[in-house]
Amino acid sequence: MTTILLTENNGIATLTFNRPTVYNAMSEELMAAFQETTAALVKRSDIRALILKGAGKAFLAGGDVGLFHARKDDPVLAAAIKPMGDTLHDSIVAIRNMPFPVIAQIQGACAGAGVSVALACDFAIASDKASFNTAYTKIGLSPDGGSTWFLPRMIGIKKATELIMLSDTIDAAGALQLGLVNRVVSADALETDVATLAARLGGGATRAFANAKKLLNLSFETPMRQHLDREIALFAECVGGHDFKEGVSAFVEKRKPSFTGQ
């Protein structure tokens, strides 16, 4: 079975985690395919938006605990973990560096590294049937995948500590209240709602989105004066592009702009 599926339609790409019988738990094969696929996507100038979703009933149930259990007494398992983690982390960094918006479409379980993947996306739309659990400490692990980087920035250190150390399951409404997702919709409407958002983003000013994403990524680690300088440099870069000219023309002419992402 192919563990990662990729489809494209009118500039919108959809990446599907495809191990539905185990709730898309991450095997070494899936992580390697995820790394390879995201490494290729980050270089694509023709993609306008990306959707990440899971096949079957779950989004992404984290690492495959069954595989860990089978190897729990293997003396080389600990040494093998780092390259596996590096593979996953390459994909997390690629998502944050993609020059177009990335949307997590979350149905069912989102646990462990699945939470990290969802947090790395620019948008997260959840079904009202979705649930979230950082899960790591339940099996004696500290987190990977970036959850200890994303969560304190999103919800503060105290709440991040609670989610990670207690590993309680949060329903979709709780995730929305915390700001882990942008929107909660009915399970029946999830596919359509995400497709509508992707089409809206795909028809937007992709170059401006890319620059905004770059600035947001750097905002927590750059001194204010340096950040302001970077803002105006990227602002000026946009002024030299087609979408700026089209945007101001459409505004003055009171019509909908036709952006090309340039």
Side-chain angles (χ1 to χ4, degrees), residues 18 23 57 61 65 70 85 96 116 145 164 170 184 188 229-230:
N18 190 40
Y23 302 103
K57 296 180 179 180
V65 179
R96 290 310 312 153
S116 298
I164 290 168
I170 300 171
V184 175
D188 292 340
D229 290 343
R230 185 176 282 120

Side-chain angles (χ1 to χ4, degrees), residues 156-166:
I157 190 72
K158 285 286 193 295
K159 200 66 183 179
T161 301
E162 178 184 333
L163 293 189
I164 290 168
M165 290 192 180
L166 299 184

